[in-house]
């Protein structure tokens, strides 16, 4: 029951964001992902390739190692080029990415010419199934609200 209260608050926040202009702020996105993340872990398996990633402001991002496996990475400080990167690189040692030791490096045309690494402060496993279900609910609620606004 205690877990449902934060989820309901996140959904309400998401609906409020959709009601205003359809876009969530970075803080709202990060709160949404935090609501679907477990306790911090020290590391995760990584074999040199990500299935996807989502920036959540300049201090956090979600990465997927498989379609059904994702992690919330919170950084030790602002990562200046994260919002503009078209790709990222993640450092690792021995096939594992570790909190407090490894970095995220923003890459691409929108970033500075010097690739500045951003230290990973915490790693939290995402409940990808619940995350996707909540995203679907938010999209459906936004669609219903748009339809109601057209009438």
């Amino acid at each position: 029951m205690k877990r449902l209260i934060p989820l309901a608050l996140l959904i309400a926040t998401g609906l409020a964001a959709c009601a205003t202009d359809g876009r969530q702020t970075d803080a709202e996105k990060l709160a949404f992902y935090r609501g679907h993340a477990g306790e911090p872990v020290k590391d995760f398996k990584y074999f040199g390739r990500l299935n996807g990633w989502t920036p959540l402001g300049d201090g956090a991002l979600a990465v997927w190692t498989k379609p059904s496996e994702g992690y919330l990475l919170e950084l030790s400080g602002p990562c200046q080029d994260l919002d503009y990167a078209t790709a990222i690189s993640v450092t690792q040692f021995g096939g594992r990415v570790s909190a407090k030791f490894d970095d995220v490096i923003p890459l691409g045309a929108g970033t500075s010419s010097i690739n500045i690494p951003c230290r990973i402060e915490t790693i939290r496993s995402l409940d990808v199934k619940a995350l996707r279900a909540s995203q679907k609910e938010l999209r459906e609620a936004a669609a219903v609200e748009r339809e109601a606004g057209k009438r």
Side-chain angles (χ1 to χ4, degrees):
M1 182 67 170
K2 286 183 181 180
R3 188 175 171 109
L4 292 177
I5 293 171
L7 181 58
L9 290 173
L10 285 171
I11 290 172
T13 301
L15 290 173
C18 291
T20 55
D21 68 358
R23 301 204 58 145
Q24 288 183 307
T25 66
D26 289 339
E28 290 168 335
K29 287 185 222 174
L30 180 55
F32 182 77
Y33 277 80
R34 281 180 177 154
H36 291 86
E39 294 298 314
V41 297
K42 67 178 190 165
D43 59 16
F44 65 89
K45 287 183 185 179
Y46 177 67
F47 298 106
R49 184 176 174 152
L50 293 175
N51 190 267
W53 65 284
T54 302
L56 303 169
D58 64 0
L61 69 156
V63 296
W64 284 264
T65 54
K66 300 177 193 172
S68 61
E69 184 177 272
Y71 298 91
L72 174 62
L73 307 181
E74 295 201 49
L75 308 173
S76 61
C79 188
Q80 100 183 22
D81 290 333
L82 192 57
D83 281 336
Y84 307 104
T86 56
I88 60 168
S89 175
V90 179
T91 63
Q92 53 87 26
F93 181 76
R96 300 203 75 79
V97 174
S98 300
K100 301 191 186 328
F101 293 103
D102 285 305
D103 301 312
V104 172
I105 304 166
L107 305 169
T111 62
S112 58
S113 59
I114 301 171
N115 294 332
I116 301 170
C118 306
R119 182 61 38 106
I120 299 169
E121 184 66 26
T122 60
I123 299 170
R124 297 170 62 194
S125 179
L126 290 170
D127 182 346
V128 176
K129 197 174 199 177
L131 178 75
R132 291 202 174 123
S134 293
Q135 287 172 327
K136 182 180 178 190
E137 288 175 21
L138 289 172
R139 282 192 305 273
E140 289 171 354
V144 167
E145 189 165 311
R146 278 193 305 272
E147 284 299 314
K150 288 181 181 178
R151 295 179 186 166

